[in-house]
Amino acid sequence: MLPWAVLALWLAVLALAGPLAGRLADVQQNRAVDYLPASADSTQVAKVQDALPGGEATELVVVYHRDGGLTGADRARAQAQIGEIARTHRLTATPTAVPSKDGTTVMYAVASTQPGQDDDARTAFVDDVRNVTDGGGGLTAEVGGAGALNTDMKGVYSSLDGPLLYTTVAVVAVLLILIYRSPLLWLLPLLVAGVADGAAMAAVYGLHQAFGITVTGQSQGVMTILVFGAGTDYALLLVARYREELRRIPRPYEAMRAALRGCGPAILASSGTVAAGLLCLLAADLNSSRGMGPIAAVGVLSALVAMVTLLPALLVLLGRRVFWPLVPAYGSRPPQRRGLFAAMGTSAARRPAAVLAGGAVLLGALALGALHLPGSLKNEDAFTTAPESVTAMQTLARAYPGSGTQPITVVAPTGRAAEVLAKARTTSGVATVERGRSGAGWTELFVTAEAAPETPGETATIKALRAGLDSRFGAYVGGASAQQIDLADTSSRDRWIVVPLVLLSVLLILVALLRSLVAPLLLVVAVVAVWGAALGIGGLLFGPLLGFRGTDPVLPLLSFVFLVALGVDYGIFLMHRMREESRSGAEPAAAALTALRTTGGVIASAGLVLAATFSVLITMPLVSLVELGLVIAVGVLLDTFLVRTYLVTSASLALGRRVWWPGRLSRAHPAGGATIEVLPHPASRP
């Protein structure tokens, strides 16, 4: 009766969660300013602009260009189209033509504060301007600027949900079919992961409504990948143990109870470690990182709950036939064969110190590649294929070399606006300053730098403005370029806070689980080394091979959190089994090799699935997602096939009983002092 009750309960959960899950995409916040902390200058500018008449302005730059030089007809056409935009929309000022010195280009700054400037209204305004502006006959007309960039970014994130989900499902399905070689069994973990994803989306929507956590397209995408990746990992471990118990126990229900008792603690501990590591992101100042912590943790916990309740219920209800054609008959023995991980363990046992030293040198050498990571990612380099907003800015950069083409926004208390304007005009690197709107006690100023956008020269100008205006006049300096500066600065500060918290929380959980200090330190050092090597490989690939011109400032922190949490996940599977074998009477070497042989197949399968799910991000059109997916996928593979198999096993062999110091297992032989015979374990086959 219990399996049927569990199934009925999940059907009720689906009925309740379905409508809420469908609303999650509607509350995504994908503007650059949405990623920033409330304390950032650029965030304060956006808040002030929201309070001004018409709300935050949607700032665009309309660019007309002809390679051989603009004709009189081109200029007349451009002026007529800009006039139509001014007549049909409420603009902050009348756009004026700014021609380039070479006569090939003319640009118009167009900004709207018409009523109803929510995200949909901003998108509609950008789309309408693009519909009005039209070239032809060799004349190009493009719409760029911060407003257009935000619209294009939102469009990309809005289009990710479907392709990301379908691609993830397809990748996991193929891998499960290859692993299980069964026409039915592969479908169950996939189905349960889909249910868990729906429940997680509903839970995240509830968190947003209750606590206002920031939901971005990136965080929702990563959550889906974690649900399918981590959920499938838990399914692999559970199904492997269930298959083993079915050979010993006649009734599937009793076999499942034994399987849950056997592998349940490891699954609970590993998922708890991952969730704890992810929740450390709550200490981040960056809105997007702080929001990703609970969102990703909800995904992992939803996968856990589904895989230890719904999946067992389905497996029990379907009985042994779910494994067809490789049905584990009661009383049968699994095929005894020397597998890959037995051979790897034997090779590591011959010279464990040499293997450990060689692996450490390899990881250290790979980590040096991080020195070649490109600088911070610019807005114009954020897409793998440049949309119109980016090509427009590229046209401006060629036509107006070394000139500012993107406004720096300053908001000042109205009573001191004249002083701020005068001070801004005398600031080094400032070309022009224009007064914008006033209201709610604030006045808006638009500053044009002498240097091109997102260059060291413009960065120096923004910092000079902030140094001269913030403390003396209570003004704030924002805009698209300032947002990128705040993003990089806040990400750097967050690393110094979140990284120690992740290491401490993971270490404490491992100490409690393994009753040791040495084994947890070994696992933590191993995953940190994997993170460094994965970032190094990224440094060798991003620029030279993939042509990326920048690195997402948040990449080091997010990749660290995910690789440490997920890497320790696999370490728990290995070390928990090693400790179990040691407590049963095995000598240290036998315990280490048996643990590798019995868990190696499951860990390898789980690592392949997790790496494949994160590699789905590599197919996405945003550089930040490609970089995150590549680093995590590479890191998981390094962790699975080098660190867990060779280095952790070699270190355990070299340390012997000292790996369990100061626990009881480090001080004396287990009762009986027996040495067990090391044979391949049924669980080595997922």
Side-chain angles (χ1 to χ4, degrees):
M1 288 297 295
L2 184 57
W4 286 109
V6 171
L7 183 59
L9 179 61
W10 272 103
L11 290 174
V13 169
L14 275 181
L16 294 173
L20 298 179
R23 299 178 189 173
L24 185 59
D26 298 334
V27 299
Q28 284 187 13
Q29 298 167 270
N30 292 312
R31 294 183 302 164
V33 72
D34 294 326
Y35 282 62
L36 297 173
S39 59
D41 256 33
S42 47
T43 307
Q44 296 301 317
V45 169
K47 289 182 177 179
V48 169
Q49 288 183 312
D50 282 338
L52 292 175
E56 182 185 0
T58 304
E59 299 169 357
L60 307 177
V61 179
V62 182
V63 185
Y64 294 90
H65 173 82
R66 184 184 289 273
D67 286 338
L70 294 170
T71 65
D74 293 338
R75 294 187 179 90
R77 183 187 187 96
Q79 191 62 50
Q81 292 177 358
I82 296 299
E84 181 180 348
I85 293 170
R87 287 191 301 272
T88 56
H89 294 279
R90 177 179 174 179
L91 304 183
T92 59
T94 302
T96 57
V98 181
S100 63
K101 291 181 179 180
D102 61 7
T104 63
T105 309
V106 62
M107 70 173 180
Y108 295 84
V110 177
S112 169
T113 57
Q114 58 194 34
Q117 280 287 69
D118 56 16
D119 280 348
D120 291 338
R122 293 186 182 98
T123 300
F125 171 63
V126 174
D127 291 341
D128 190 57
V129 171
R130 284 175 168 168
N131 290 333
V132 172
T133 55
D134 180 42
L139 175 69
T140 62
E142 298 173 309
V143 179
L149 185 70
N150 283 331
T151 295
D152 289 339
M153 189 75 73
K154 179 184 176 184
V156 168
Y157 275 120
S158 298
S159 66
L160 287 184
D161 295 344
L164 185 66
L165 177 61
Y166 304 147
T167 307
T168 301
V169 169
V171 167
V172 174
V174 169
L175 288 174
L176 287 175
I177 290 171
L178 294 175
I179 291 169
Y180 285 137
R181 300 190 295 279
S182 167
L184 178 60
L185 182 57
W186 66 272
L187 187 58
L188 295 186
L190 203 61
L191 175 65
V192 173
V195 172
D197 188 45
M201 291 171 66
V204 169
Y205 178 79
L207 286 176
H208 172 79
Q209 295 299 102
F211 302 104
I213 64 169
T214 300
V215 180
T216 66
Q218 182 187 56
S219 60
Q220 184 176 341
V222 168
M223 183 195 73
T224 293
I225 285 175
L226 275 176
V227 169
F228 280 89
T232 303
D233 286 359
Y234 304 148
L236 288 169
L237 191 64
L238 175 63
V239 171
R241 192 62 177 256
Y242 178 52
R243 186 199 299 268
E244 173 187 349
E245 299 299 340
L246 283 173
R247 299 181 188 278
R248 298 191 310 107
I249 301 173
R251 295 183 58 213
Y253 179 78
E254 299 300 330
M256 179 56 72
R257 290 185 60 184
L260 286 171
R261 284 196 300 269
C263 68
I267 293 176
L268 289 173
S270 60
S271 60
T273 304
V274 175
L278 292 170
L279 287 175
C280 290
L281 284 170
L282 285 169
D285 198 21
L286 206 64
N287 278 344
S288 56
S289 297
R290 189 168 62 248
M292 184 176 287
I295 290 172
V298 165
V300 170
L301 295 177
S302 295
L304 165 70
V305 173
M307 292 302 171
V308 298
T309 57
L310 180 58
L311 179 61
L314 293 174
L315 288 170
V316 169
L317 291 174
L318 291 172
R320 296 175 187 271
R321 58 184 177 275
V322 74
F323 289 93
W324 186 88
L326 304 174
V327 178
Y330 171 59
S332 65
R333 291 180 60 84
Q336 300 294 321
R337 62 180 184 273
R338 184 175 177 80
L340 171 65
F341 294 97
M344 295 174 77
T346 301
S347 65
R350 291 194 187 102
R351 300 182 65 184
V355 171
L356 183 60
V361 169
L362 174 60
L363 291 176
L366 290 174
L368 293 176
L371 300 175
H372 297 283
L373 285 169
S376 292
L377 192 66
K378 298 180 180 179
N379 281 322
E380 65 182 56
D381 300 323
F383 302 86
T384 55
T385 302
E388 183 180 337
S389 58
V390 171
T391 59
M393 303 311 289
Q394 291 171 344
T395 301
L396 287 177
R398 292 190 298 268
Y400 303 82
S403 300
T405 55
Q406 182 170 273
I408 301 166
T409 307
V410 177
V411 293
T414 299
R416 310 201 68 178
E419 297 174 83
V420 171
L421 188 147
K423 178 64 177 177
R425 282 176 175 163
T426 61
T427 300
S428 175
V430 170
T432 63
V433 183
E434 296 180 1
R435 186 186 290 264
R437 297 167 293 163
S438 298
W442 294 91
T443 295
E444 186 179 51
L445 303 175
F446 296 108
V447 178
T448 303
E450 294 175 349
E454 297 186 72
T455 60
E458 190 201 38
T459 298
T461 301
I462 292 171
K463 290 182 177 179
L465 284 169
R466 286 179 168 175
L469 301 178
D470 284 11
S471 58
R472 290 181 56 191
F473 302 100
Y476 296 105
V477 180
S481 296
Q483 290 168 4
Q484 292 300 103
I485 295 172
D486 290 338
L487 179 64
D489 290 346
T490 307
S491 298
S492 179
R493 289 197 301 270
D494 284 348
R495 287 198 293 273
W496 289 102
I497 297 172
V498 176
V499 166
L501 282 177
V502 171
L503 291 175
L504 181 61
S505 63
V506 168
L507 188 62
L508 290 176
I509 292 174
L510 289 176
V511 168
L513 177 69
L514 300 177
R515 305 291 195 274
S516 164
L517 288 178
V518 176
L521 284 171
L522 173 63
L523 293 180
V524 169
V525 169
V527 292
V528 171
V530 166
W531 170 69
L535 269 187
I537 292 174
L540 299 176
L541 296 179
F542 290 166
L545 184 64
L546 301 177
F548 295 160
R549 297 182 179 180
T551 303
D552 183 7
V554 190
L555 175 66
L557 176 62
L558 292 185
S559 60
F560 179 87
V561 172
F562 284 113
L563 283 177
V564 168
L566 295 170
V568 167
D569 197 24
Y570 296 150
I572 288 174
F573 294 165
L574 180 68
M575 298 300 287
H576 186 268
R577 188 56 184 256
M578 191 185 304
R579 189 171 189 275
E580 185 179 337
E581 296 295 334
S582 296
R583 292 180 63 189
S584 299
E587 292 295 324
L593 296 178
T594 300
L596 176 61
R597 289 167 179 162
T598 55
T599 64
V602 175
I603 290 176
S605 300
L608 284 173
V609 169
L610 193 62
T613 53
F614 270 100
S615 68
V616 170
L617 291 176
I618 298 174
T619 66
M620 298 296 107
L622 290 174
V623 170
S624 59
L625 293 181
V626 174
E627 291 176 343
L628 182 65
L630 191 150
V631 168
I632 294 180
V634 167
V636 168
L637 291 176
L638 279 175
D639 190 61
T640 302
F641 293 101
L642 174 62
V643 174
R644 291 293 150 240
T645 50
Y646 269 126
L647 302 192
V648 172
T649 300
S650 298
S652 300
L653 290 168
L655 290 170
R657 296 191 183 281
R658 287 169 293 182
V659 77
W660 303 115
W661 185 88
R664 181 180 60 84
L665 293 177
S666 68
R667 296 192 297 270
H669 289 278
T675 301
I676 65 171
E677 181 183 4
V678 180
L679 294 173
H681 196 276
S684 63
R685 174 182 177 153

